[in-house]
Amino acid sequence: MGPCKLTNELRIFVGTWNVAGRSPIGSLAVDLDDWLNLKDAADLYVLGFQEIVPLKTRTVVGAEDTTKATNWNLLIGKILNDKYGCPWLTPMMMNEATGDGDYTRNTNLNRPMRFPGGDQTPIKFQGRIPANRVMGGSRYVLLASKKMVGVFISVWIRRDLVRKYYISNVKVCSVACGIMGYLGNKGSVAVSMSIEGTSFCFVAAHLASGEKKGDERRRNHQVSEIFRRTFFARSPKDDEYPNPHHPPLTILGHDQIFWFGDLNYRLYLEDSFARQLIKKQDWEALQEFDQLRKEQEAGGVFQGWREGNIEFAPTYKYSSSNCNRYSGGPLRRTGEKQRTPAWCDRILWYGKGVRQLSYFRSESKFSDHRPVSAQFLSHIDLLETTNPRVIALSKFLPSIPSPKQMVKGETNEESKSTLAALMVKDREESAKFIEQRYRTITE
């Protein structure tokens, strides 16, 4: 019988939202608050967006502009942290040195935090506030962020978990598989990381649109391309601390994988029949015609992957912003696109140790899609070797002498009294040392 594995649980929120090219605005805070479901707060927030910029020729073939991604991160950070009475003092999160919109956080607290622009570049605030004050004043911190044209992923973690768990190998990758198979109007952005001994991969995707016969095969092909071309390169830092596993290089090499986004799978059903079932709220009957589930059953895509039961209305396509009516149908307006409603926005997962707690849509009218989210309970394996930061501390902690090490000639009662006094003194010194040590690390 092998050694017993120590495990712990994380609550993970995964969300996806096609925002139809619209920029984040202040009034959107109410919609985000509803979507993020902060009454039931998670440990990790993984948010995928599609079309954070309009998919026009200029934005697809031109240079990446990280402004929209920065603005979304600013708003997300504000929503996550203002809820807890902490003013959100946000740095410029995008990498100014490269201009590519990538951001990953260095989770080793024995080193200075690696902020955008490199270790030596001062962080930019509206006021001159030290970085440790920002960390100290926020409950959630940005762990990773990646943008490719309109596809965007943003990963946030509870600040205290950065100290509690050993988080390593945080990496990002993008795959463009849109026009001509290589432009970024469609494709994916992914984040890979390890929390203790469990590896995670989060893939935010935007697949080919269209409801013509055969369009589902284009989507299937793009999924296979994302699997084939997503690669998390190894770096010298990967072996910096002892870990029983090498960091995964591909999506399927991870222990737990979450794939979400505007996957664009439609319904194998004529428009009027689809609307009748929607009116009856007969989601079970409607799912019989769901293209993604049919393709899974036929072995065309996502074999062995899981998705929660859909008990909400199709999320696409609504007539316009600020509207609760699906586009098209017998009452469509002049010039309005005819679209059969469908569950385009989906969240799937793969791997052991994952249990879905909820799967629902929110009712924001910000775009022609409704945001979708799921909460998961994830088991993580704790490393047998404790966190390197804790090892470093343990070397300096005063030790308690054993009774055999007591002064010779003392009686049993005297020895017990001396030992008790030393234990009290030891606890006080240990507490002082730990407090001073963590203050040094965070400052």
Side-chain angles (χ1 to χ4, degrees):
M1 193 171 173
C4 180
K5 268 190 178 179
L6 291 175
T7 63
N8 215 331
E9 288 183 334
L10 281 181
R11 184 182 286 263
I12 301 176
F13 177 101
V14 178
T16 179
W17 195 1
N18 185 320
V19 294
R22 299 190 67 194
S23 299
I25 52 177
S27 60
L28 187 57
V30 176
D31 299 40
L32 271 175
D33 185 45
D34 175 58
W35 181 40
L36 299 180
N37 189 27
L38 292 170
K39 292 175 183 175
D40 193 15
D43 299 313
L44 195 69
Y45 281 87
V46 185
L47 308 178
F49 295 85
Q50 304 82 42
E51 295 189 46
I52 66 167
V53 297
L55 298 183
K56 298 176 181 176
T57 304
R58 180 170 52 84
T59 57
V60 173
V61 301
E64 282 281 4
D65 180 358
T66 62
T67 306
K68 294 286 180 69
T70 301
N71 290 340
W72 276 106
N73 273 334
L74 288 169
L75 187 57
I76 294 163
K78 178 178 172 60
I79 297 301
L80 287 175
N81 289 293
D82 279 1
K83 274 286 172 186
Y84 303 98
C86 302
W88 174 233
L89 309 170
T90 312
M92 292 297 291
M93 298 179 193
M94 296 296 106
N95 192 327
E96 296 167 327
T98 62
D100 60 5
D102 295 359
Y103 177 80
T104 57
R105 177 175 288 278
N106 176 5
T107 54
N108 175 15
L109 294 183
N110 285 321
R111 298 179 171 187
M113 299 299 284
R114 293 184 61 203
F115 288 106
D119 290 342
Q120 307 306 316
T121 305
I123 240 173
K124 294 185 179 180
F125 297 98
Q126 293 180 345
R128 295 184 62 80
I129 303 169
N132 66 301
R133 287 275 303 281
V134 178
M135 284 289 290
S138 56
R139 182 173 179 181
Y140 290 90
V141 292
L142 182 65
L143 190 61
S145 178
K146 176 69 177 173
K147 172 187 180 294
M148 180 191 70
V149 187
V151 191
F152 173 55
I153 190 170
S154 184
V155 181
W156 298 74
I157 191 168
R158 261 182 40 212
R159 178 182 178 271
D160 59 302
L161 296 185
V162 178
R163 287 196 177 90
K164 181 178 179 180
Y165 296 124
Y166 178 42
I167 302 171
S168 60
N169 306 313
V170 183
K171 297 174 183 177
V172 294
C173 177
S174 61
V175 172
C177 52
I179 300 167
M180 298 182 291
Y182 282 94
L183 288 186
N185 60 308
K186 296 292 187 288
S188 68
V189 289
V191 171
S192 169
M193 65 183 188
S194 293
I195 301 179
E196 293 286 326
T198 301
S199 57
F200 292 84
C201 188
F202 301 101
V203 184
H206 192 187
L207 304 182
S209 60
E211 52 186 18
K212 299 189 303 294
K213 187 177 180 180
D215 284 338
E216 69 277 12
R217 289 195 292 274
R218 289 198 298 138
R219 294 186 264 276
N220 294 353
H221 175 70
Q222 287 178 346
V223 170
S224 65
E225 282 293 286
I226 291 168
F227 275 121
R228 186 177 68 85
R229 289 161 51 194
T230 299
F231 184 79
F232 302 102
R234 225 167 240 154
S235 70
K237 293 181 181 179
D238 291 346
D239 300 319
E240 204 165 317
Y241 291 115
N243 193 317
H245 310 289
H246 284 295
L249 302 178
T250 62
I251 293 173
L252 289 173
H254 292 77
D255 298 314
Q256 298 180 11
I257 312 163
F258 299 84
W259 188 304
F260 47 100
D262 180 0
L263 307 188
N264 255 319
Y265 287 95
R266 307 304 173 92
L267 293 174
Y268 288 123
L269 190 62
E270 199 274 327
D271 180 74
S272 61
F273 291 129
R275 291 173 191 262
Q276 285 176 28
L277 291 175
I278 292 168
K279 193 173 181 180
K280 294 177 183 176
Q281 298 188 9
D282 193 345
W283 313 134
E284 188 176 348
L286 200 61
Q287 282 178 70
E288 292 296 316
F289 303 94
D290 176 59
Q291 197 177 78
L292 175 54
R293 298 208 170 183
K294 290 292 184 186
E295 289 300 304
Q296 280 186 279
E297 289 167 7
V301 72
F302 290 120
Q303 285 183 281
W305 286 65
R306 300 176 65 191
E307 181 184 19
N309 192 38
I310 301 174
E311 296 178 344
F312 50 83
T315 54
Y316 176 82
K317 166 181 173 67
Y318 283 88
S319 180
S320 64
S321 61
N322 203 30
C323 181
N324 259 337
R325 185 178 60 82
Y326 288 110
S327 180
L331 301 176
R332 68 174 172 171
R333 296 167 185 165
T334 305
E336 188 174 80
K337 291 182 178 178
Q338 175 64 44
R339 293 287 184 271
T340 302
W343 286 298
C344 290
D345 309 279
R346 312 289 279 269
I347 300 171
L348 295 87
W349 77 94
Y350 186 87
K352 295 179 180 178
V354 181
R355 180 163 64 91
Q356 190 178 67
L357 303 175
S358 63
Y359 193 26
F360 58 92
R361 64 172 241 173
S362 301
E363 298 308 318
S364 169
K365 300 174 186 176
F366 185 70
S367 84
D368 55 357
H369 289 252
R370 294 295 180 260
V372 172
S373 58
Q375 286 226 30
F376 299 92
L377 207 58
S378 166
H379 285 263
I380 57 169
D381 292 331
L382 302 182
L383 291 173
E384 290 181 13
T385 55
T386 52
N387 189 314
R389 298 193 294 274
V390 177
I391 293 172
L393 286 174
S394 65
K395 291 178 183 177
F396 299 98
L397 293 177
S399 58
I400 301 172
S402 68
K404 292 182 180 179
Q405 295 172 316
M406 306 302 289
V407 179
K408 288 183 179 179
E410 283 188 344
T411 64
N412 281 343
E413 288 305 313
E414 287 172 335
S415 293
K416 288 178 184 177
S417 176
T418 305
L419 181 59
L422 281 168
M423 289 177 71
V424 170
K425 183 181 177 184
D426 182 73
R427 281 198 297 270
E428 290 172 350
E429 288 180 1
S430 298
K432 284 179 184 175
F433 176 83
I434 291 171
E435 185 180 352
Q436 290 168 359
R437 181 68 175 160
Y438 273 118
R439 191 180 297 123
T440 302
I441 290 170
T442 54
E443 292 178 1

